[in-house]
Amino acid sequence: MWAYDLAESLLSDDLPRRWAHSKGVASKARTLAGILGPDAELLESAAVLHDIGYSPRIVDTGFHPLDGARFLRAEDVDERVVRLVAHHSCALLEAEERGLRQELEVEFQLEEPHLVDALIYCDMTTTPDGTPTTTPDRVAEIVGRYGPDSVVGRFIRRAEPQIDAAARRVEGRLLQVGTTA
């Protein structure tokens, strides 16, 4: 898939752990195909690409959702994938912490809520090494890695209720169709 090739080219050498995480997030996205139908491939593409904004080759603002989305838009990637990358995992809250909320909101529309939830679920139930975890453990890991008073630490604690709610909605949909992720 083209998205894997692009993500690998931007992450694997410079950020191998981020690449492992991205592959894990994409793997989790594949498990949601039963509830996503025709949007399954779109989500998988966004999942493997969601953190490319960390690549030193494309960093601009230092806010990876915005940098990644701008890069993808310049590469003429499907606008829905671009919007998912721009807004992944409650990015508006982090953008607010960084003084970039208006820029993100104006430049990139939100994608459909069920896809936003699905990407939050995939990202926030995958460790930095690409293995499964729970949303509380993932939030705790992020706070521990960045520090509670950092921009990321403050943002992720504010986002935790939204992250948990998104995960519950996705898990509920999986239960309705008799699938487990």
Side-chain angles (χ1 to χ4, degrees):
M1 175 189 277
W2 66 271
Y4 282 86
D5 293 339
L6 180 57
E8 183 177 21
S9 74
L10 290 167
L11 297 173
S12 66
D13 290 339
D14 296 329
L15 302 166
R17 193 170 188 217
R18 187 70 59 187
W19 174 229
H21 168 71
S22 295
K23 289 188 297 184
V25 174
S27 178
K28 180 70 66 127
R30 281 192 301 279
T31 70
L32 302 183
I35 64 170
L36 296 177
D39 288 331
E41 189 173 318
L42 178 100
L43 180 72
E44 187 177 348
S45 295
V48 78
L49 293 166
H50 80 285
D51 275 352
I52 64 163
Y54 283 114
S55 172
R57 289 178 266 168
I58 64 172
V59 168
D60 179 34
T61 67
F63 179 45
H64 78 279
L66 185 58
D67 292 344
R70 284 177 172 168
F71 173 82
L72 292 171
R73 183 177 275 166
E75 296 292 310
D76 291 322
V77 169
D78 182 303
E79 186 64 22
R80 295 183 71 201
V81 172
V82 171
R83 290 193 309 248
L84 282 166
V85 169
H87 288 283
H88 77 272
S89 298
C90 306
L92 279 174
L93 293 176
E94 185 175 352
E96 191 173 293
E97 290 281 337
R98 295 176 179 274
L100 295 169
R101 183 179 176 114
Q102 183 175 0
E103 201 167 333
L104 183 62
E105 278 182 312
V106 168
E107 201 168 327
F108 299 99
Q109 290 181 325
L110 283 170
E111 187 48 61
E112 294 178 34
H114 76 282
L115 291 173
V116 172
D117 282 354
L119 188 52
I120 289 171
Y121 173 78
C122 294
D123 186 20
M124 299 307 295
T125 59
T126 305
T127 68
D129 296 315
T131 60
T133 191
T134 64
T135 57
D137 286 348
R138 178 81 162 113
V139 169
E141 180 277 321
I142 292 168
V143 171
R145 186 165 21 119
Y146 288 93
D149 297 324
S150 69
V151 166
V152 175
R154 289 190 309 270
F155 136 72
I156 202 69
R157 285 180 298 157
R158 283 181 56 212
E160 188 169 17
Q162 291 178 37
I163 292 166
D164 289 339
R168 282 192 307 276
R169 287 188 294 269
V170 170
E171 289 164 352
R173 290 182 70 202
L174 288 168
L175 284 173
Q176 286 177 342
V177 298
T179 308
T180 57

